[in-house]
Amino acid sequence: MAAAQGQLSEGSEGMDGTEGKAAPEAPPPFRTAVEALRAARLRPEIEVEPTRAPRRLAPYAHALEAAVVDGEEDLADGRLVLLHDPAGHDAWQGAFRLVTLVRADLEPEMAADPLLPEVCWSWLTGALQGRGLFYGEPSGTVTRAGSHYFGGLAERRPASQIEIRASWTPREGPSGAPDTAAHLAAWCDLLCQIAGLPPQGPSDAAVVSLPQRRGPHRT
């Protein structure tokens, strides 16, 4: 699996290092939220596994990395981090926060579309709303980058990539934990959307997908 790299790749906190489980001393809402992530049922094209979570963003954290796989190719990959501060966080307006990094390769002509950043951000909010989820304080960036090759690499085709970094506060349920399984499913909907896969269920003519990628993103 191609692991999303960046500022979300530090050590773990509030985890026991065994199959991505929350440590026994972690607060019950956090343990409930982590267990729901582990038990979520996802599309077969998605490969998900626990990974090391950041230590300095919150007292408790749990992280997953995922890839949309077509045969031997990774069409898109990303990382989702669940943060928990039992005392609450003013900037989050809650005790939980979800942070994500999602990325995929693009054909250069798609990367040149001036509306692409707005479309990609709408995929995130649309995925959450499509699952009937309530959330607050969304924020993030959409970045597109291009590479051109010269000299000994001149035979390579130009490469373009889209990257979404975002965070939002999931609404907490009666148990004090948010419905993390549903948020994970929505996040996987975003991954599939950016990978160019058709949505599951009835077709939605308002949904715009990116075309098939040239190949996997490699780190």
Side-chain angles (χ1 to χ4, degrees), residues 103-163:
R103 64 188 183 179
D105 291 335
L106 300 175
E107 292 293 343
E109 57 270 22
M110 281 298 299
D113 187 336
L115 297 180
L116 183 64
E118 288 79 6
V119 170
C120 289
W121 183 256
S122 73
W123 289 345
L124 170 62
T125 57
L128 294 169
Q129 294 164 7
R131 294 278 176 174
L133 295 169
F134 294 95
Y135 63 96
E137 307 303 318
S139 64
T141 62
V142 176
T143 304
R144 50 187 166 186
S147 298
H148 296 264
Y149 300 96
F150 301 93
L153 301 177
E155 293 184 357
R156 293 190 182 183
R157 295 181 58 186
S160 299
Q161 186 182 79
I162 192 75
E163 179 182 275

Side-chain angles (χ1 to χ4, degrees), residues 43 45 192-193 196-201 207 209:
R43 288 181 61 161
E45 301 93 340
C192 290
Q193 186 84 39
L197 298 186
Q200 286 187 320
V207 174
S209 297

Side-chain angles (χ1 to χ4, degrees), residues 50-134:
T51 188
R52 298 176 68 186
R55 290 189 293 182
R56 292 183 286 273
L57 298 181
Y60 302 94
H62 177 65
L64 301 171
E65 62 182 28
V68 180
V69 179
D70 179 16
E72 297 298 320
E73 295 184 353
D74 289 358
L75 302 181
D77 64 66
R79 178 165 296 178
L80 183 68
V81 180
L82 174 69
L83 305 176
H84 178 51
D85 186 342
H89 196 293
D90 289 342
W92 302 351
Q93 293 296 300
F96 285 88
R97 187 76 170 171
L98 285 161
V99 183
T100 186
L101 166 64
V102 172
R103 64 188 183 179
D105 291 335
L106 300 175
E107 292 293 343
E109 57 270 22
M110 281 298 299
D113 187 336
L115 297 180
L116 183 64
E118 288 79 6
V119 170
C120 289
W121 183 256
S122 73
W123 289 345
L124 170 62
T125 57
L128 294 169
Q129 294 164 7
R131 294 278 176 174
L133 295 169
F134 294 95

Side-chain angles (χ1 to χ4, degrees), residues 8-13 15 51-56 61 63:
L8 302 182
S9 57
E10 299 180 5
S12 62
E13 187 74 16
M15 305 300 300
T51 188
R52 298 176 68 186
R55 290 189 293 182
R56 292 183 286 273

